[in-house]
Amino acid sequence: MFAIYAVSSLVMVAGLGFVLAASYRSEARQRGLAEGRSEALLVAETGVDPLLDGRPLGARLDRDEITGLDRLVDRSVRSHNVLRLRVRNLAGNVAFSDDGSGFGATPEDDAVAAAHGATVARLTHLNTDINDHGATGPAAVEVYTPLTAGTPAHQVGVLEVYLPYAPINVDVSSGLHRLYRDLLAGLVALYLLLFALSVSLTQGLRQQVTRNKFLAEHDLLTELPNRSLFHHRAQQAVRDAVATQSHAALAIIDLDRFKEINDTLGHHNGDELLTKLAQRLVAFTRPEDAVARLGGDEFGVVLCDVKNPEEVLHRLREVIENEVEVSGLPLSIESSIGFVLSPEDGIEVDELLQRADVALYVAKAQHTGVVRYDPSQDHYDAGNLALIGDLRHAIDNDELVLHYQPKMALPHRRVEAVEALVRWEHPSLGLLSPDRFVPLAERTDLIDKLTQWVLQRALSDMSQKTELSQIRMSVNVSARNISSGEFASQVIAALRKHGVSADRLIIEITETALLTDPSHAAVVLAELATFGVAISIDDFGVGQTSLSFLSSLPVHELKIDQGFVTDMTSDPAHCAIVRSIVDLGHNLALRVVAEGVETEDVAGELCRMGCDVAQGYLFARPMPLDRLRPWLTDATRIHPASLR
Ligand code: C2E
Ligand code: MG
Ligand code: MG
């Protein structure tokens, strides 16, 4: 490319040189002719004109004129100033010729033109006119110029003179050679300048192209490959794994609580942390592996020909966890890693990445660090993806409905609260239970929209002057909801909007959700509790909440998981667990709720254990508001303490 440019600019400069040289040459020729013309004029005015008496010249000159001209010719020819001199009359015919040539010949056009007053000069050689004879003589400037005489001066004839071109040429050529030399030097300088310019421009362009290519494929902050290059590398690794019958691992790493660091220490420090971690990842992996920043606090790693990916990724996780100094502050950050192994888990990169994402989600939700994809974890089939798409519109189109299930205070079995349970009246699939779509929503930001919808609808129903306005309301929230910094203020704003007092709202959060991000959850729950909202730990017993963590939380209620309750009368172990939770709750000064109460036996046993509240099909199934209201009208159903 550059060679083409260099050669083409050379051709252009050379072309310019030729054109300029040709124009100089023609200019020099013109100068030569002009010089010849003025010399001829001088000869005519000073040498010939004074010899003439003012009569138009005839066919022959008189003796005096011939003598004068001979003398003039003698002087000029001898001094080599003139090669030939002829005098013509106004008809153009030769009247005098220094060498006797040209008499009787037909006048040339130039001679006729001069007879009419013009001065004509031509570059020629002696004896090359059609009327001339003899060998071709030296180069000459042939000039025809009018001769004038008399008073007043008028044209009487024509002077034809051949002046030697050699001396004129020497003069003109020396100037021309100087010009050629200067021209050559100028052109060489111009070419060198163009060459230097093009070298620097080409280098600049090449750097720009390299930079643009880099930017298109890399993350600006960490300079790691971006998602698109990662995809490409992953594809290559998968192809190699298939070809060499080895394994390639594709892992997605997500930093835990990075948002908190960003919020508290500022984006600048967050960026510094990401850059340092990126360097660590690169240092940890081998050159044939790939590390990329997939966005935010998410990194991707491809491990080629890997024997024990889980072990390697555990070590990688430790490397991330090692203290990093950011702005002089020692920080340690945990991460969750989801990974897949190709070809076992698939050979399509898009599918592999989606599966690694599912594994990552599980790792994050279960706090298990490194998790390999397992099809049983996967809820991302095409049907579910379509359902997530529909859900967004469902919320806007009010396709969701709330069913309310009463919570009965024991032992009197009076309603003390209802729990809002969401359902989806899907246009084609019918009424969908929350298990079908809430877990899907929880994997996206849609869960925020969904929870907001539930909260607004429940509070709006509570604010109406109905039976519902007398009791408390439980609303379920997901781990992802409380990970948003604005959740508490959103709840408080919703309470204000509907004019519902905070102590009538119970936020139910499952024990496992609480464990997703315990310290952050503690902050959000404390904020809600300060405002007067009660906190209930749902499905309690299936997670492994540490008792010290539990006692540190501003919790008001433990809701025993229905898995222990429903069969507690037939399963002594479950019975023991329920009894222990009831005792634990009371010892921590918490109310204890048993969910999934389906039989009188279970209800009786719970009463004996001193459980405070029971909820289950025995009392009522979740029902829409228009069925709940008549159900609640039975005054005996509402707990007197709930009445205001
Ligand atoms: P959960 O909060 O533990 O709700 C109790 C679930 O058990 C409800 O299922 C309820 O219908 C069911 N249930 C109640 N009594 C009995 C009983 O005696 N026997 C049996 N076998 N089941 C009983 P549902 O409505 O299908 O909700 C399932 C889960 O979906 C809820 O569990 C809750 O975790 C979640 N969920 C429901 N609504 C929402 C919501 O608005 N937001 C969020 N984030 N999650 C929700
Ligand atoms: Mg619940
Ligand atoms: Mg539950």
Side-chain angles (χ1 to χ4, degrees):
M1 187 66 196
F2 177 72
I4 294 175
Y5 179 81
V7 170
S8 58
S9 56
L10 182 64
V11 168
M12 276 192 309
V13 169
L16 177 68
F18 280 125
V19 170
L20 283 177
S23 130
Y24 281 174
R25 234 185 351 263
S26 134
E27 181 68 18
R29 225 175 110 97
Q30 293 308 319
R31 262 182 53 208
L33 289 176
E35 230 171 85
R37 206 178 280 127
S38 37
E39 267 183 44
L41 210 64
L42 197 70
V43 171
E45 281 175 0
T46 58
V48 183
D49 285 352
L51 299 176
L52 307 175
D53 60 7
R55 280 173 296 118
L57 299 182
R60 293 270 166 186
L61 302 184
D62 64 29
R63 179 158 300 278
D64 287 348
E65 287 168 333
I66 292 173
T67 316
L69 284 172
D70 278 342
R71 227 176 273 139
L72 172 70
V73 167
D74 254 12
R75 271 199 322 270
S76 323
V77 173
R78 219 181 307 124
S79 61
H80 303 294
N81 285 340
V82 171
L83 292 174
R84 171 178 287 163
L85 189 146
R86 286 172 183 159
V87 172
R88 292 173 184 260
N89 59 24
L90 289 174
N93 295 317
V94 174
F96 170 85
S97 170
D98 68 322
D99 53 5
S101 64
F103 285 104
T106 318
E108 290 94 348
D109 291 347
D110 292 346
V112 175
H116 285 93
T119 297
V120 181
R122 282 194 302 117
L123 211 55
T124 180
H125 280 260
L126 205 60
N127 293 336
T128 47
D129 276 0
I130 1 162
N131 298 326
D132 290 335
H133 308 286
T136 302
V141 180
E142 181 188 17
V143 186
Y144 294 85
T145 188
L147 288 170
T148 52
T151 330
H154 56 275
Q155 184 172 357
V156 292
V158 169
L159 174 68
E160 177 189 359
V161 64
Y162 283 77
L163 303 163
Y165 184 60
I168 298 176
N169 192 30
V170 168
D171 184 30
V172 167
S173 294
S174 79
L176 193 62
H177 284 141
R178 262 199 317 277
L179 270 178
Y180 279 159
R181 208 181 47 224
D182 293 352
L183 173 67
L184 185 70
L187 289 177
V188 169
L190 175 67
Y191 180 71
L192 289 179
L193 185 73
L194 281 177
F195 189 82
L197 263 176
S198 67
V199 167
S200 106
L201 277 177
T202 312
Q203 264 173 2
L205 275 175
R206 221 174 261 158
Q207 278 167 1
Q208 192 57 42
V209 167
T210 319
R211 180 87 188 131
N212 285 351
K213 188 169 184 299
F214 183 84
L215 290 183
E217 295 183 328
H218 290 79
D219 161 52
L220 274 188
L221 176 69
T222 58
E223 305 214 325
L224 287 181
N226 62 15
R227 192 176 273 276
S228 105
L229 185 56
F230 180 69
H231 197 280
H232 183 73
R233 296 267 166 88
Q235 204 149 39
Q236 192 57 50
V238 168
R239 244 182 253 140
D240 291 350
V242 172
T244 57
Q245 294 189 331
S246 60
H247 304 280
L250 267 64
I252 300 179
I253 304 165
D254 193 280
L255 305 180
D256 298 340
R257 297 189 300 115
F258 175 73
K259 191 176 173 298
E260 229 169 79
I261 292 179
N262 240 352
D263 290 348
T264 48
L265 299 181
H267 285 264
H268 168 69
N269 286 319
D271 286 355
E272 193 181 332
L273 176 70
L274 288 174
T275 313
K276 288 194 169 160
L277 290 182
Q279 288 160 359
R280 279 191 189 176
L281 292 178
V282 172
F284 177 82
T285 47
R286 302 162 299 173
E288 63 267 34
D289 298 332
V291 179
R293 181 169 175 219
L294 304 181
D297 59 350
E298 208 173 272
F299 293 92
V301 172
V302 176
L303 300 172
C304 298
D305 189 15
V306 64
K307 299 279 176 306
N308 195 344
E310 190 146 2
E311 190 193 305
V312 177
L313 291 170
H314 270 293
R315 274 195 279 124
L316 180 64
R317 198 167 166 260
E318 281 165 22
V319 166
I320 295 174
E321 218 170 296
N322 287 342
E323 235 168 51
V324 195
E325 203 177 286
V326 174
S327 290
L329 219 79
L331 287 180
S332 168
I333 191 147
E334 290 192 352
S335 61
S336 302
I337 303 181
F339 78 99
V340 283
L341 212 56
S342 183
E344 288 89 332
D345 296 329
I347 50 166
E348 287 297 325
V349 173
D350 281 329
E351 191 182 44
L352 285 168
L353 289 177
Q354 200 181 54
R355 292 181 166 176
D357 227 8
V358 171
L360 173 68
Y361 179 79
V362 175
K364 266 190 131 34
Q366 298 176 352
H367 265 254
T368 31
V370 178
V371 170
R372 181 177 166 187
Y373 169 75
D374 175 348
S376 69
Q377 309 157 341
D378 202 346
H379 304 285
Y380 276 101
D381 60 35
N384 282 343
L385 285 174
L387 212 58
I388 292 181
D390 289 351
L391 183 56
R392 200 173 291 278
H393 302 291
I395 301 174
D396 294 333
N397 297 346
D398 248 357
E399 286 175 20
L400 300 185
V401 286
L402 286 186
H403 283 194
Y404 295 104
Q405 187 179 33
K407 288 164 98 172
M408 317 296 284
L410 294 178
H412 314 289
R413 301 190 182 187
R414 301 275 180 86
V415 181
E416 65 124 40
V418 289
E419 178 177 8
L421 294 160
V422 70
R423 274 99 182 86
W424 179 3
E425 285 177 338
H426 194 281
S428 53
L429 302 173
L431 193 69
L432 298 182
S433 79
D435 292 336
R436 181 77 180 86
F437 62 92
V438 170
L440 298 179
E442 280 173 339
R443 284 164 175 77
T444 71
D445 289 341
L446 218 52
I447 191 63
D448 291 324
K449 207 171 172 187
L450 185 141
T451 303
Q452 282 307 314
W453 184 90
V454 171
L455 191 66
Q456 297 287 346
R457 176 55 54 89
L459 291 177
S460 155
D461 287 350
M462 278 173 89
S463 65
Q464 309 300 315
K465 293 265 169 266
T466 63
E467 300 71 13
L468 211 58
S469 67
Q470 301 174 333
I471 49 176
R472 303 209 295 161
M473 170 77 74
S474 284
V475 169
N476 294 283
V477 303
S478 303
R480 200 155 172 157
N481 296 136
I482 52 168
S483 72
S484 136
E486 289 112 55
F487 183 68
S489 50
Q490 282 170 348
V491 172
I492 291 158
L495 283 165
R496 286 213 176 104
K497 176 179 165 195
H498 295 282
V500 175
S501 93
D503 59 5
R504 290 182 57 213
L505 180 66
I506 304 166
I507 291 291
E508 288 193 13
I509 171 115
T510 62
E511 189 188 6
T512 43
L514 206 57
L515 293 176
T516 309
D517 191 354
S519 52
H520 191 248
V523 173
V524 176
L525 297 186
E527 213 176 321
L528 286 169
T530 311
F531 201 72
V533 176
I535 309 295
S536 170
I537 301 193
D538 206 351
D539 302 345
F540 188 78
V542 288
Q544 287 126 22
T545 325
S546 93
L547 295 181
S548 75
F549 175 59
L550 185 66
S551 62
S552 72
L553 289 176
V555 170
H556 304 84
E557 184 178 283
L558 290 185
K559 227 177 149 181
I560 311 170
D561 189 70
Q562 54 179 283
F564 304 117
V565 177
T566 312
D567 61 357
M568 63 183 269
T569 48
S570 56
D571 184 332
H574 283 174
C575 188
I577 289 171
V578 173
R579 181 176 298 108
S580 309
I581 296 175
V582 172
D583 290 346
L584 171 73
H586 288 166
N587 289 337
L588 291 172
L590 304 176
R591 286 156 55 78
V592 182
V593 182
E595 60 179 359
V597 180
E598 295 181 353
T599 62
E600 281 294 349
D601 287 353
V602 169
E605 190 60 40
L606 287 169
C607 276
R608 276 191 288 284
M609 287 176 180
C611 185
D612 308 287
V613 180
Q615 187 183 10
Y617 295 166
L618 172 67
F619 312 106
R621 285 181 178 257
M623 54 191 130
L625 184 62
D626 54 355
R627 290 219 331 262
L628 176 74
R629 285 183 55 194
W631 190 87
L632 285 174
T633 8
D634 184 347
T636 56
R637 291 224 165 100
I638 298 189
H639 195 275
S642 304
L643 296 168
R644 339 193 122 241

